[in-house]
Amino acid sequence: MNSVIDTTVIVVFSVFIMIIGLLFSRTGRNLKSFFAGGEAVPWFIGGLSLFMSFFSAGTFVAWGSIAYKYGWVAVTIQWTMCIGGLVTGLYIAPKWKATGSLTAAEFIKDRLGENVQKSFIYIFMLVSLFIKGSVLYSVSKLVGSSLEFPLIPVTLVLGIFMIAYTAVGGLWAVMVTDILQFAILTTAVLLIIPLAFTEAGGIQSFVSRVPDNFFNVVNGEYTWGFIGAFALYHIFYIGGNWTFVQRYTSVDTPKSASKVAFLFAGLYIVSPVLWMLPPMIYQTINPGLTGLETENAYLMVCKQVLPAGLMGLILTGMYFSTSASANTALNVVSAVFTNDVYKGTINPGASDEKLMKVARASSWCFGFGMILIALIVPYIGGIVEFTLSVGAITGGPLLAPPIWALFSKRITGKATIWITMISLAVNLVFKIILPLVADDKLSRANEMLLGVLLPFALLLAYELYAGSKGLTSSAYLQLQVRKAARNAKVIVVDEKEAAEIKRQNKFGLQVISFSLGFIALMLYVLCAFTAKGTGMVAGIATIILCSAWIPFNASRKVVVEKSC
């Protein structure tokens, strides 16, 4: 790799994307436009954004490590995300949109009560910082190792850049970044695969040299029990994670919310195969990696096969895909704090201007917490252990009850608190306390099964009990009354606000179109520096340039009436 060219590519794309964020700094007029895009985001933009928000450098580091060591099972694990997307699209996403809530926390308050909402808010904020801190660690490790910079300074710089981007631009800025990184990362991965196969001596050579069981659907500690539990976990995670709920509530109708989840599911059928092939191929090129070294497998194959400039391209894609994931989380955590804590409890009468200041300030505060977590990940077992453990402990207890409440008229706030706390306590005992006291621990599969099945079983048990007693939640009945009153109320359309939302969405589509054109231009420029794969780079650049017509054409259909 050529450090000068690669660093230049990273800097140019980074500056360009920050400029995109600044372009949206004037579009956040109030909470709905800043956090939900005016509830008029096109579903295909929301779907791609959901896909990239779910995706991060942790995909390459964590799942790439598993692909290097165990092979095809890394793809199987990620296919559970497709299952989660399908179930969410069929049943859960349209339910979220139909609630009429701006955030998941707002629905929890309406359906389960303010005490439940506050408890979930504080736990969700803490868990979000841990998860997004881990993905910041992943990308910092990739960028630092590639450019030979120290890990801590890289983590600080990249983390601050992420926070600044989110605090400035709001949801539309985050979604535009998602789309750009989808184009950049797809380009880089499509280039790596043929070059890696060439380096390994061809497909036949690769197949003949892999370890036994390398193409098994399940392998090692990742058994069918783990896969089943992980699929259930992803139904909860994709359907109930507050970060992703924002994608379902920011579109116009429940049907569009379903399309968001279906697009996510479709992309997760194909993408895991493309992502996991390079570290699998690298196992035959350099089979000697052990321990935490395997986390660098993806990076090492990139450094070995990519020509000058393209290493910088994939590092940019990895960084900003992680940035997209972290930005989305920061945007949602900030939304929850501003809308449901500050506005709901501290200052109910706050003006839009005041709320926007609080929203941006809270993004900075939570962002620095994320950076702190990223700095301690290496000391608690590495990214694979960290990611799976956090998911097993917190996923089911936090995400299953609100989803259950979307469909149940019997679950109460008090039952929700007890089920969540019992599940969290049991998971913590088996994950942390039991290994320390008895030097014994659950297998990976049993750990994940316990994490998702226990809250599900407790919820089902309460539902059956309440059903046998003929009980209906009073909060549910009150919510139905408020819904009926809201539906009967004549909605007065603020024409000025409606025009501003249309203007914001039209502008967003135009920026996406322009940005795709810029990426294509950059790729054409890189063709002059590539010693191999030049034809592929030019071909992909042409495809991206042509795809820029799609959002441009969509923007022309958005008619904005001129203000009087």
Side-chain angles (χ1 to χ4, degrees), residues 1-54:
M1 63 179 281
N2 186 308
S3 296
V4 175
I5 296 177
D6 288 317
T7 302
T8 301
V9 169
I10 293 173
V11 170
V12 169
F13 272 109
S14 298
V15 170
F16 175 71
I17 288 176
M18 179 53 84
I19 291 172
I20 296 298
L22 291 172
L23 289 175
F24 284 98
S25 63
R26 295 175 298 169
T27 61
R29 289 163 50 86
N30 51 38
L31 288 185
K32 182 176 284 190
S33 64
F34 190 76
F35 290 128
E39 295 186 277
V41 173
W43 67 264
F44 58 90
I45 300 294
L48 285 176
S49 179
L50 174 62
F51 175 74
M52 291 304 295
S53 298
F54 194 83

Side-chain angles (χ1 to χ4, degrees), residues 25-261:
S25 63
R26 295 175 298 169
T27 61
R29 289 163 50 86
N30 51 38
L31 288 185
K32 182 176 284 190
S33 64
F34 190 76
F35 290 128
E39 295 186 277
V41 173
W43 67 264
F44 58 90
I45 300 294
L48 285 176
S49 179
L50 174 62
F51 175 74
M52 291 304 295
S53 298
F54 194 83
F55 177 77
S56 72
T59 301
F60 297 106
V61 176
W63 307 133
S65 173
I66 294 172
Y68 177 87
K69 290 191 289 185
Y70 297 106
W72 189 266
V73 69
V75 176
T76 307
I77 291 172
Q78 291 179 79
W79 275 343
T80 64
M81 302 165 194
C82 172
I83 295 172
L86 287 173
V87 174
T88 297
L90 286 170
Y91 305 109
I92 304 174
K95 278 283 188 178
W96 279 117
K97 179 59 186 176
T99 65
S101 300
L102 180 65
T103 66
E106 185 179 330
F107 166 75
I108 291 172
K109 179 181 178 181
D110 289 341
R111 174 63 183 84
L112 298 171
E114 189 172 347
N115 290 335
V116 178
Q117 182 208 39
K118 288 180 179 178
S119 300
F120 271 62
I121 282 173
Y122 297 132
I123 299 173
F124 170 77
M125 287 179 179
L126 183 62
V127 172
S128 293
L129 292 182
F130 272 91
I131 293 174
K132 298 314 168 186
S134 71
V135 297
L136 174 58
Y137 159 78
S138 299
V139 75
S140 300
K141 184 172 183 177
L142 287 169
V143 174
S145 299
S146 301
L147 302 179
E148 299 180 355
F149 293 148
L151 181 61
I152 292 177
V154 169
T155 302
L156 292 171
V157 171
L158 297 185
I160 290 171
F161 190 89
M162 286 182 186
I163 304 165
Y165 189 79
T166 306
V168 166
L171 180 63
W172 255 110
V174 171
M175 289 193 298
V176 170
T177 306
D178 291 342
I179 306 307
L180 301 188
Q181 297 335 300
F182 176 78
I184 292 173
L185 211 52
T186 301
T187 298
V189 170
L190 291 176
L191 290 169
I192 291 170
I193 292 173
L195 294 175
F197 271 127
T198 301
E199 192 76 16
I203 297 176
Q204 288 297 329
S205 175
F206 160 66
V207 172
S208 65
R209 291 163 59 188
V210 298
D212 295 337
N213 303 324
F214 203 66
F215 291 108
N216 286 4
V217 178
V218 294
N219 199 354
E221 61 183 331
Y222 304 102
T223 63
W224 279 117
F226 174 86
I227 298 300
F230 215 46
L232 183 58
Y233 165 76
H234 276 114
I235 293 173
F236 295 155
Y237 192 69
I238 297 166
N241 184 284
W242 295 7
T243 300
F244 306 144
V245 169
Q246 190 187 34
R247 295 297 179 270
Y248 314 137
T249 61
S250 61
V251 293
D252 54 353
T253 65
K255 185 176 181 180
S256 294
S258 291
K259 291 179 180 180
V260 168

Side-chain angles (χ1 to χ4, degrees), residues 477-488:
L477 295 175
Q478 292 168 10
L479 179 60
Q480 298 308 113
V481 172
R482 289 196 297 272
K483 275 188 175 181
R486 184 178 63 195
N487 292 337

Side-chain angles (χ1 to χ4, degrees), residues 118 157 177 188 203 250 305 314 331 388 437 455 459 520 540 547 550:
K118 288 180 179 178
V157 171
T177 306
I203 297 176
S250 61
V305 306
I314 195 167
N331 186 262
L388 293 179
V437 175
L459 287 164
I540 292 174
S547 68
I550 298 174

Side-chain angles (χ1 to χ4, degrees), residues 497-510:
E497 183 66 23
E500 284 297 329
I501 290 173
K502 284 187 177 182
R503 187 173 289 108
Q504 173 181 274
N505 292 343
K506 183 182 184 72
F507 178 68
L509 290 167
Q510 290 172 336

